Amino acid sequence: MTEDSQRNFRSVYYEKVGFRGVEEKKSLEILLKDDRLDIEKLCTFSQRFPLPSMYRALVWKVLLGILPPHHESHAQVMMYRKEQYSDVLHALKVIRFVSDATPQVEVFLRMYQLESGKLPRSPSFPLEPEGEVFLAIAKAMEEMVEDSVDCYWIIRCFVNQLNSKYRDSLPQLPKAFEQYLNLEDSRLLSHLKTCSAVSKLPYDLWFKRCFAGCLPESSLQRVWDKVVSGSCKILVFVAVEILLTFKIKVMALNSAEKITKFLENIPQDSSDAIVSKAIDLWHKHCGTPVHSA
Amino acid sequence: MAQQSNIGELLSMLDSPVLSVRDDVTAVFKENLNSDRGPMLVNTLVDYYLDTNSQPVLHILTTLQEPHDKHLLDKMNEYVGKAASRLSTLSLLGHVIRLQPSWKHKLSQAPLLPSLLKCLKMDTDVVVLTTGVLVLITMLPMIPQSGKQHLHDFFDIFGRLSSWCLKKPGHVTEIYLVHLHASVYALFHRLYGMYPCNFVSFLRSHYSMKENLETFEEVVKPMMEHVRIHPELVTGSKDHELDPRRWKRLETHDVVIECAKISLDPTEASYEDGYSVSHQISARFPHRSADVTASPYVDTQNSYGSATSTPYSISRLTLLNTPGQLPQTLSSPSTRLLTEPPQATLWSPSMVCGMTTPPTSPGNVPPDLSHPYSKVFGTTGGKGTPLGTPATSPPPAPLCHSDDYVHISLPQATATPAKKEERTDSARPCLHRQHHLPNDRGLEELPGSKGSVTLSDLPGFLGDLASEEDSIEKDKEEAAISKELSEITTADAELLVPRGGFDSPFYRDSLPGCPRKTHSAASGTQGTSVNPEPLNSSLDKLGPDTPKQAFTPIDLPCGGAEEGPAGNRGRQPSLETSILTPSPCKIPPPRGVGFGSGQPPPYDHLFEVALPKTAHHFVSKKTEELLKKAKGNAEEDSWPSTSPVEVLDRLIQQGADAHSKELNKLSLPSKSVDWTHFGDEIRTLRNQLLLLHNQLLYERFKRQQHAVRNRRLLRKVIRAAALEEHNAAMKDQLKLQEKDIQMWKVSLQKEQARYSQLQEQRDTVVTQLHSQIRQLQHDREEFYNQSQELQTKLEDCRNMIAELRLELKKANSKVCHTELLLSQVSQKLSNSESVQQQMEFLNRQLLVLGEVNELYLEQLQNKHSDTTKEVEMMKAAYRKELEKNRSHVLQQNQRLDTSQKRILELESHLAKKDHLLLEQKKYLEDVKLQARGQLQAAESRYEAQKRITQAFELEILDLYGRLEKDGLLKKLEEEKTEAAEAAGERLDCCSDGCSDSVVGHNEEASGHNGETKPPRPGSTRGSSGSRGGGGSSSSSELSTPEKPPNQRAGLFSSRWETTVGEPSTSIPTTVGSLPSSKSFLGMKARELFRNKSESQCDEDGITISSLSETLKTELGKDSGVEAKTPLNLDGPYPSPPNPDSVGQLRIMDYNETHHEHS
C-alpha cells in the first residue's frame, strides 16, 4: 500500500491513453529504493520501459553484476572495482602496453585482454575479431557512460554477458530474424532471398556487436537496455525493423553486396523511430514481459 | 270607344261650375293617367285643352307624371308644326315648363325643341314669336347644356327677332313689337348671361355685316347698355361655357340669377345685385353691415343710416329667436340700401333734376322717423317674440290704415278670405305706403318683421312722396290687376268684349288709357266676382301658405316664413319700382289721374297677392310709359337707353290710363258698341293680352326661381345665425369658465398660503418635537446608565447572595457533619456502654466458666482412664493431617498452574526466538549475499591482480629470456667444445629452472641433473605410496627416456600422458603455485602438483628449459589444450603427440587425478 500511495493514481490511465514514461521514473526510483535490490524486478522494468538516462548506468551496473544488490556494499564494491581498474591500468602501463596516448577504447580492450588473460605478446599484433567487437561496443559505450571506470566495467561485463550468457542464443538469431521478417513482410524476405542476400546480411554487426556503430548511441542505449536486462531477441526485431523501414530502398537494390553495404551504413536520422517500432514489434511478438512477482 | 266617350263626358264635366264635380273629375283623370300608360288620354286632353282652353285640363296637363311626358311632348310637337294651333300649344308648353316638371331635362332631347326653334326662325306671327321666345327663355336655364347643339339656333333667332324689332316686316303692329322687343331683350339677357363668349362672338360676327349694322345701332346697342361686362368674358372661353360640367353645378334658379346679375337694368338686375351683395354681407356681418351699408345711404338720405341702424341691431337681437325669416328680410333690404343709391344716381338724377317736386328732403323727416322706428322696434321686441299675438292683432291695423287707400272698400266688398290673402301680398304695397305714411302705418305694421324692414328702407326716399306715391302705385296696381284679371279671365266672354275695347290707336295717340279704364272699370265691377279665381289659383300655387294666411293676413312671422321668398320678391320689385319711379311718380298728371279715377285700386291688392312679380313688372312698365308721357309732356328728350321692359311698362301704363279714361268717358252700353266696331282692335288687344299674359307668366316663373333661391339662402342664414348664437353661447361659457378659473386660482393661492402656513406650523412643531425627542433621548440614556449601574449592583448583590448561600451551605454541611459525628459518638458511646455491659456479662460468664472448669477439672481428675478421649484426639490429628494434605494438594495445583503458564510463556518465547532466528537467518543470508558480492568483487580484483602478476611475470620472463639469450649466446661460444647435446639439454634445464622458481635456480641449473633428483623422493613421500611410485617412475622416465618403457605397459600411456601433461599442468602450478579458482579439477591438480612441485620443477625445468622461450607465450593460457603447443614447439625433442591423444591425456589426467584424489 505504501508503494501504491507513493505512486500516482493516474499512472494506469497514462498507460491506457498511450503516454509512456510518465510514471516510469518514479516507479524505478521506488524500485531502486529497496535495500537489497530486486534484480528480477529491475530486469522486468527495463524490459518493459525505457530507462531514464540518469539511472541507466546504475541499473546497468546492478544488472550486469558490477554492483551488488545491497546498497551498503556499493561503495566498497565500487572501490574494489576502481582499484582493480587502476591496478590493471597501472599494470598495462608498467608493461608498456598502453601509454597516455593510447585511445581509451584500446586501453579498455587491453585491460579486458589482460583481465581475461588474452593479452597478446605485443600491442602491435593484429586484433582478433573478438577484439574488434569489443572495440565497437566500447566505442559505443564510451559515449553512453561518462565515468571511465564505470564504462570499463560495463563494457567488460556486457561483453562477458554476450560471450557467456548469449553464447548459445546468438547464433540462433539469424534464423529467428528470417522467421520474423517472413511474418512481417514475406515479400521483402523473398526479395532478399532472390538476391541471395539473406546469408550475407550484416549479422556480425547486428548481433555480435549489438548494432554498435550501426545505430546512434541515443537509440542504441534503449536497445541495450533490453540486452542488458537479458533479452537478446530485441536485436532480431531491430534488424527486422531496419529492413522494414528501409524496405523501399532495399527492394530497389538487387545485389546482395549493395544491400549489405546499405544496411551497414543505414541513415541515422530515423533510428529513434526504428528502435521504438522495434520495441513495439518485440512486445507484439514476444509479449510484454511481466514481472512474475 | 266607351272610354273615349267617357272621356269626352268627363272633359265636359271638368268645366262644370260645381267645384266638387270638377275635383272628382280631375281625380278620375289623374287615376286614369296613373293606370294608363298610353298616349291616348294625354292626346285627348291636349286636344280638348287646345279646343277649350280649359283651366282644369291645363292643370291636369301641367301636373303630368313621367311616363306621359313623351306623349305630351310628341303631341305638342305635332301641334307646333301646325300654324293654327301653334300659339295655344306654345302657351301650353309655357305653362308646362314654368311648373318645372320632373322630366324637364328631357326637353333638350325632345323633338319639340328643334321644332320650336324652327318655328321661331320661320314664323312671322309676332304673338307666336313673343310667346315662343318667352317659352325659350324660360326653358334655357332648365336645359343649359343643350345650348351646345342649338346655340346657333338661339343666336339666329335672336338675330332675326332683333332685326324684326326694327324692320317690322309685314303688318305687325307697333304694340306687338313692344312686346316682342321686351322678349328679345329678355332673350338677350339670357343668352348673354349664359353664353357670354359665344354670344359676344356671335354679335361680333353677325353685326359686323353692314346690313345688320342698323339693327345693332338701334336695337342691340341699347340693350348692351343695360348689361355689365360678364366675368366669363374675361375668365371663360367658348368651350368652357358649353361645358356640361359648368352647368351641372347650377340649378335652374341659379342660372336665372346668374343671368340677372350681369344686368344693369333695374327691373332685371337691381335685386340680383342686391343678392350678390347681400350674400357677402349676410355672410360677413349681418347687423354691422346694416350700419356700414347705411352710410352711403345716409349720404343721400342724410342721417337715416344711424336711425335705421339701431333698429336693425335691436330687431336683429330680438328677432334672432324667431324663425330665420327675419334675418333674411333684414339683409335683403339692407343690401338694397347699398345697391339703390348707385341706381338712383343712374336713373333718378336726371329725372330728379328735372322734377319740380322736391324729391328727397329726408333731412327733415329722418329724426321724426327714427324715433318711431326705434319705438316700434322696442314694441316689436315685446310683441314680436310671441308669435301668436300678431296673428290676430295685425289684421285690423292694416285695415284701418288702408282706409287711406281706395281699396279699403275692396276687402269689405270681397270675401274675407280674399281680403286676408290680399293682406299677405298687399303687405308689400302697404309697406311702400307705409313709408309714405310712416307714423300711421309704420306703427301698425311694425309688429311684422317685414314692415319694420321695409320701413327702414324706404322712408328716406319716399317720405315726402308718400301720398303721391300711394296714388301712383295704386294706379299702377290697379292697371296691372286689371290686366292680370283680364288675362286670367280671357276665357270669359264678358271680359273679351271689354278687352276688345282697348285700342292701339289710343295708345299711340298717347291716350291708351281710355279703353283700359273702361276695362278696368269693367274688371273693377266684375272684380268681386272674378277675384276668387285668381285667388284660388294663387292659393293653389301657394298651397301650404294659404291656411296660415287665413289667420295671419300680413305680418305673421310664421306666415312670412313661408311666404318670405315670394314676399320678398314681390316687395323688392315694388321697392325698386318705387325707387325707380320717383320722377314719374311726381309727374302730376298720372297722379291726378290716379287720384281722380280712384276706382281701380280694389284689384290692386288682389293682383299683387296673386302675382306679385308680374304686378311689379306691370307697375314698372306703367311707370315707364308714364315716364315717356311725362317726358313727352315735359318736352324732355326720351331717355336714350330706356330698356324695352320699361317701354313695355309704359305701354301698359298708358294703356291702363287710357283705359281708365275711356272707361270714365264711356258708358257701358256704348262700350259694347265700341267693341263691335273695333273688332280688329279687339283682336289686337286680345293678342296683346295674350302677350302680356305670357310676359306675366314668364315673370312669375322668374319669381319662383328667386323664391327657391331665397329659400336656400335663408337656410344658410339660419345656419349662420345658429352658429353665431352657438358662438356667443360658447363665449359666454368661456367667460364663465374663465371666471371659474380665476376663482379657482384665487382659491388655489389661498390654499397655498394656508398650506404654507400649515407647513410652517408643522415645521415648528416638528422642531419642537425633535428637541423634545432629543431631551427624552438624553433622559433615556441617563436612565439607561443608571439602570446599568443598578444592574451591576444587582449583579454584585446576587454574587454576594450566592456566596452567602454557599457559605450557608457549607455551614449547614458542617452542622450536619457535626451532627453526624455527634450521632456517631453517641452511638459509640452507647456501643461502649453495651460493650461494657457485655464485658460485665462475659466477666460474669468467665467467672461462671471458671467455676465450671474447676468443676470439670475435678471431674477429670476423677476419671483418668477414659479411651474415648484418645480416639478423639486421634481423629483430630487425622483431620489436621488431612487438612494439611489438602492444602498441600492445593499448593501443588497452584504450582502446576504456574508452571503451565510458565510453559506457555516459554513457548511464546520460543516462537519469538524462532522468528528471530529466521530473521537472523535471513539477515545472515543477506549479509552473506552482501559479503559474497563484496567477495566476488574482491575475487575479481584478485583475479585481476593475478592476471596482472601473470602479465608482470610474463614480462619479467620475457626480459629474463632476453637476458639469458644474451648469456647463452656467450656460453655457447665458450662451451663450443663441450657436447652440443648436453648443451642443448642444459639450455632447456636452465630455462626450466628459471621458470620454476625465482629463488636461486641458477645454481640448480648449473649442476642440475644431480640436484633435481633428490627433491623427487621427497615429493613422492608427501604423496601416496602408489603415486609416489608412479611419480618416481615417470620422473625417471622423463629423465631417462631411453630407459625401457615397457615396464609398466598399462600405465605407459598414462605415464606418458602425465609426463607430457605434467609440464603443462605443472607449469601453472610452478609458475603461480596458486590454485586455479576456476574449477575443482584445477584445484585438485594444483594440490597434486604442489606436492611434487620441487621434483617436477627439477625435472621439468631441465626438460623444458629449452622451450622457455616458446612457452612464454603459452603461459597465459591455463587450459590443457594449450599445453600441447609447447610440446609442439618442442617438436624436435619429444615425439609430437596428436591432438586426440592430448584430449585423452587430459581425460586421463582427470581420471588420474581423480584416482589420486580418491
Side-chain angles (χ1 to χ4, degrees), chain B residues 76-130:
Chain B
M76 284 200 283
N77 188 28
E78 185 186 318
Y79 281 116
V80 165
K82 295 168 190 168
S85 57
R86 196 171 283 160
L87 182 60
S88 52
T89 313
L90 284 177
S91 66
L92 175 64
L93 181 61
H95 283 300
V96 170
I97 287 168
R98 266 172 224 121
L99 283 174
Q100 298 204 39
S102 56
W103 41 267
K104 65 187 177 186
H105 59 278
K106 288 183 181 175
L107 283 167
S108 60
Q109 276 88 37
L112 186 60
L113 184 62
S115 55
L116 173 68
L117 293 173
K118 190 187 164 193
C119 141
L120 284 173
K121 275 190 221 172
M122 307 295 289
D123 210 311
T124 51
D125 188 1
V126 181
V127 180
V128 171
L129 283 175
T130 312

Side-chain angles (χ1 to χ4, degrees), chain B residues 757-769:
Chain B
Q757 268 187 351
L758 284 170
Q759 204 157 21
E760 279 173 21
Q761 283 178 358
R762 196 186 67 92
D763 285 346
T764 52
V765 168
V766 164
T767 46
Q768 278 180 359
L769 287 171

Side-chain angles (χ1 to χ4, degrees), chain A residues 36 70 76 83 87 121, chain B residues 926 934 940-941 945 958:
Chain A
R36 198 176 161 232
H70 293 273
Q76 199 191 351
E83 280 176 5
D87 285 347
R121 281 304 299 166
Chain B
D926 214 34
Q934 287 177 4
S940 75
R941 200 173 146 214
Q945 285 294 338
D958 190 23

